[in-house]
Amino acid sequence: MIENLVIVESPAKAKTIERFLGKGYTVKSSFGHIRDLAKKNLGIDVEGGFTPKYIVPADKKKIVKELKSLASESQMVWLATDEDREGEAIAWHLFEELGLDEDKTRRIVFHEITKDAILNALDNHRHIDTHLVNAQQARRVLDRLVGFELSPLLWKKVKPSLSAGRVQSVAVKLIVEKEREIQAFTPKKYFRVIAKFSVPDGKGALTQLKADLSKRFDQLEEARAFLTKCQTSDFTIGAIEKKPMKKSPAPPFTTSTLQQEASRKLGFSVNQTMSVAQRLYESGKITYMRTDSVNLSKLAIGTAAGKIKGDFGEKYLKIRNFTTKSKGAQEAHEAIRPTYMDQSSVEGSRQEQRLYELIWKRTIASQMSEAQLEKTTISIMVSHAAERFVATGEVLKFDGFLKVYMESSDEEQEEEAKGLLPQVEKGNKLTRELIEATEKTSLQPARYTEASLVKKMEELGIGRPSTYAPTISTIQNREYVIKEDRKGIDREMVQLLLKGDSLSEQLIKEKYGYEKGKLFPTDIGTIVNDFLEQNFQNIMSFNFTASVEEEFDEIAKGGKDWPKMIERFYTPFHTKVNTATQTAEKSKGEKVLGEDPKTGKPISVRIGRFGPIAQIGEASDEEKPRFASLLKGQSLETITLEEALDLFRLPRTLGQFEEEELIIGVGKYGPYVRHKSKFYSLAKDDDPFTIELERAIEIIIEKRAQEENRNIKQFDEEPGLLILNGRYGPYISFNKKNYRIPKSKKPEDLTLEECREIIEKAPSRTKKK
DNA sequence: CAGTGAGCGAGCTTCCGCTTGACTT
């Protein structure tokens, strides 16, 4: 017999709570939801008032069985799932599925895992909130209807196995729209003028004063005219302005902000961040990592305050309470923070340590004083021109929270060495060292990274902390979106330089359009997006989620009947699905680019059976059309006639090498050189259309050298056992299996016995499926 | 490893939000 059975959602949480409650309490976890809609026939009886058909998924059978038997021998069952829509629903599903007795069941909630909070919860038990459960059912049913009616439509009209949904389709839309914004963007040229002056520092030496011209010139001639005026001008200090400024710390981490900062500061993908955080959570080092709350428990603030006072002193302490501002936040948990605020570092993998330290710093900083700065602005007058130069400097008067942490930003800003400015006074004359006017262009809109997409989704109220990372994976797995680096192009910019008496003009090189780890839409992503936009504008609108959330809130308050709400949505939606099924054309992104100058036949692009292709001629022609796949980085939307024609120039013969032809082509795995029926991949920088014979031969020779290096060692007694050099370093190959070599051993010194030992000891990979 | 691009049709794909492992590379 069990006195009290407490059920929570997470096993790590269960362990902690069991420790707090001690004897008389058995704490178990449900591992999240235990029931879901059946997958067959929508899992919803649409005609019968949208009645959901719930089943226990195969992987949840075991846990349900266990909980059921524990519940049956318990005197009291406490449903302690999270206090939000999903948590309430989990409690209800448990109640139903475990066949609990109303008199022997209590619903309790807490927002923080502290002894006080839990004991307090036990004293304040209540019943399951049916209205809140209904709001969850409405959410679940709506998502199922949208997803399971739109996806099959895409299978028919675009391509099998595609998917659409309330969240993922809008995420893709953000990326498609951003790309179009960038395509439509025309950079504006301007000239930025900077000057370097020298000033006596009062000790007989000179220091430098760097200043920006307050005006930017649109034309080269204007900039030249200004510099010419400067040639004969005097430069005098005008106004000097000093302004005190304050900087405040950012709130503690939520899932979204943690993903953003880990991406900016540590270079983690959102998946990486979540799995490292999961390990920290499971080992008890941080609080729960899927949260939208910025709230800290009193206990945490208390220990943080102690740590700050102890480490930095009283004046660094400032207790703050942050409030959540994100749309649709449900705040079932605390912010993400260290479990023990006095531990500034932990043991574990390098990644765990780095993420932990980030969390610790952010949390501690959130309870620290503002930083105080003094901003100085000096204006410098030019005797023969109306424009002024401005020099700005920032001096830190009190570091405050900056002692431990500074939030990063997504915008790549121009480096501005803002430091102390030299002591000058109004009326001082300055000596001109140099003035330069450099051509710049306005920045195009920034593409999304995984983390900045999460930020945007959170702003729009789309998705939840538990789904940000999976959604980002889904849209990449469906190949709607691809995460890529793009190398920039070098472009030449004009620079005017005034130094001494000479005014010179030169061209300088600048990298433009370099991108790292950015999200690009694929052709399929674009086509699916346009198809959905055309037919289902309401679901694709950015405030669809926000407006249904309002209705869910009303249901939760008891002011609305959920099946009726669903019906009002579903009736017109289903009609649109039917109409599109019958009338919409197949969407292949087809586009005619022009004519082939040789044959006069039309050249078009579209999605083919194996991806985007260019095509000369039509299927109905007597002669079969010619096909060529688009290259990586090209898209149906932006490819030009010339680029499409180029595709048909491959494969091409470059010349002879070792008395055999050398052919350049593009295959499944990218551009290659073919020689003596062997293939050699081109490097990233090589262009298959322009590559020359010499370079192609170089590639072949390089590859041969690499292959020669492959064999490190082999043994006459055991010819099947090889020590090889691979992509990930040296390894042992034996019987078609590969074995890792311990770092302590030098591969070239290994004996046959040692190799056999390594093979023996290797963990056997007996897999069963 | 380095092509392909037709059509038929059976049987499958798919959503969002809660949770962790058990897998392979």
Side-chain angles (χ1 to χ4, degrees), chain A residues 256-439:
Chain A
S256 143
T257 53
L258 178 67
Q259 288 171 350
Q260 289 161 44
E261 277 287 87
S263 158
R264 294 186 285 232
K265 284 200 157 82
L266 311 178
F268 288 5
S269 70
V270 301
N271 261 327
Q272 219 179 339
T273 301
M274 293 315 281
S275 74
V276 175
Q278 176 86 30
R279 287 202 296 277
L280 289 170
Y281 169 65
E282 281 170 9
S283 54
K285 296 183 182 95
I286 60 168
T287 56
Y288 197 55
M289 64 283 154
R290 290 186 276 263
T291 177
D292 49 22
S293 169
V294 288
N295 199 46
L296 297 176
S297 72
K298 282 209 181 73
L299 192 73
I301 293 179
T303 44
K307 178 76 176 163
I308 293 165
K309 268 197 266 181
D311 283 10
F312 312 117
E314 182 92 47
K315 64 175 179 176
Y316 278 91
L317 178 65
K318 181 169 179 182
I319 304 287
R320 292 161 208 272
N321 283 306
F322 293 91
T323 46
T324 303
K325 52 180 189 313
S326 73
K327 229 184 238 179
Q330 308 199 7
E331 303 206 60
H333 305 96
E334 269 191 83
I336 304 170
R337 63 158 173 95
T339 316
Y340 307 105
M341 290 301 310
D342 48 355
Q343 284 183 17
S344 59
S345 62
V346 290
E347 299 200 333
S349 71
R350 184 82 195 100
Q351 290 189 331
E352 285 167 44
Q353 293 181 14
R354 293 176 77 199
L355 192 69
Y356 179 86
E357 276 163 37
L358 188 69
I359 295 168
W360 183 82
K361 286 176 177 171
R362 172 90 165 209
T363 317
I364 284 283
S366 78
Q367 300 304 318
M368 290 175 72
S369 336
E370 287 104 7
Q372 286 167 25
L373 306 135
E374 188 178 76
K375 192 176 176 183
T376 308
T377 310
I378 301 174
S379 73
I380 298 158
M381 328 237 266
V382 185
S383 61
H384 293 163
E387 292 85 0
R388 288 166 181 213
F389 284 99
V390 176
T392 54
E394 242 177 38
V395 180
L396 199 56
K397 292 283 180 185
F398 175 64
D399 52 2
F401 77 95
L402 290 179
K403 207 172 191 79
V404 294
Y405 180 88
M406 176 66 195
E407 188 177 36
S408 304
S409 108
D410 284 324
E411 283 78 53
E412 304 138 49
Q413 38 209 209
E414 289 177 42
E415 29 62 75
E416 267 177 81
K418 279 189 174 174
L420 196 62
L421 293 177
Q423 275 297 329
V424 288
E425 273 167 45
K426 192 171 175 179
N428 281 173
K429 291 260 185 292
L430 299 173
T431 312
R432 157 171 69 83
E433 278 185 7
L434 63 87
I435 300 181
E436 57 189 29
T438 312
E439 184 183 350

Side-chain angles (χ1 to χ4, degrees), chain A residues 532-730:
Chain A
L532 293 173
E533 281 272 29
Q534 238 169 48
N535 297 287
F536 303 94
Q537 236 183 27
N538 62 328
I539 289 169
M540 294 299 283
S541 87
F542 290 130
N543 58 23
F544 177 71
T545 290
S547 77
V548 292
E549 280 289 342
E550 273 176 31
E551 299 199 64
F552 296 151
D553 283 348
E554 279 180 56
I555 294 167
K557 282 184 208 138
K560 204 168 203 166
D561 182 53
W562 81 261
K564 277 199 185 128
M565 179 238 150
I566 294 293
E567 172 146 40
R568 270 194 299 278
F569 161 76
Y570 183 74
T571 309
F573 168 69
H574 188 64
T575 309
K576 279 185 197 165
V577 173
N578 284 342
T579 315
T581 306
Q582 285 153 22
T583 62
E585 298 259 317
K586 274 209 163 195
S587 226
K588 295 201 156 127
E590 188 161 356
K591 205 166 96 174
V592 178
L593 296 179
E595 264 181 14
D596 176 19
K598 276 188 217 147
T599 61
K601 287 181 180 176
I603 297 201
S604 59
V605 289
R606 65 180 166 89
I607 294 279
R609 260 216 299 168
F610 309 103
I613 47 167
Q615 175 178 346
I616 303 183
E618 283 159 19
S620 55
D621 294 351
E622 215 165 285
E623 214 179 331
K624 263 183 93 179
R626 289 178 67 200
F627 299 100
S629 294
L630 263 60
L631 299 177
K632 206 178 153 224
Q634 290 182 327
S635 77
L636 298 183
E637 206 154 292
T638 57
I639 191 169
T640 62
L641 178 61
E642 289 67 36
E643 286 165 340
L645 280 169
D646 265 348
L647 297 174
F648 293 95
R649 285 170 47 205
L650 296 174
R652 66 194 181 102
T653 306
L654 267 195
Q656 296 263 325
F657 174 55
E658 293 175 352
E659 287 154 34
E660 294 246 3
E661 274 193 337
L662 206 149
I663 294 158
I664 303 290
V666 173
K668 210 167 151 189
Y669 305 95
Y672 62 83
V673 188
R674 201 171 84 206
H675 180 248
K676 295 187 184 169
S677 68
K678 275 191 83 174
F679 291 87
Y680 307 84
S681 291
L682 298 196
K684 265 190 181 170
D685 295 342
D686 295 319
D687 180 345
F689 299 112
T690 57
I691 189 169
E692 284 171 15
L693 184 61
E694 213 172 290
R695 168 68 189 143
I697 292 170
E698 198 180 299
I699 289 171
I700 292 174
I701 289 170
E702 260 173 41
K703 178 79 190 277
R704 283 182 187 167
Q706 203 185 21
E707 271 175 12
E708 239 162 65
N709 269 333
R710 203 169 90 98
N711 292 309
I712 298 178
K713 197 172 186 179
Q714 65 187 96
F715 303 94
D716 294 339
E717 309 92 289
E718 189 67 81
L721 195 155
L722 299 168
I723 304 179
L724 300 171
N725 226 335
R727 252 173 58 184
Y728 309 110

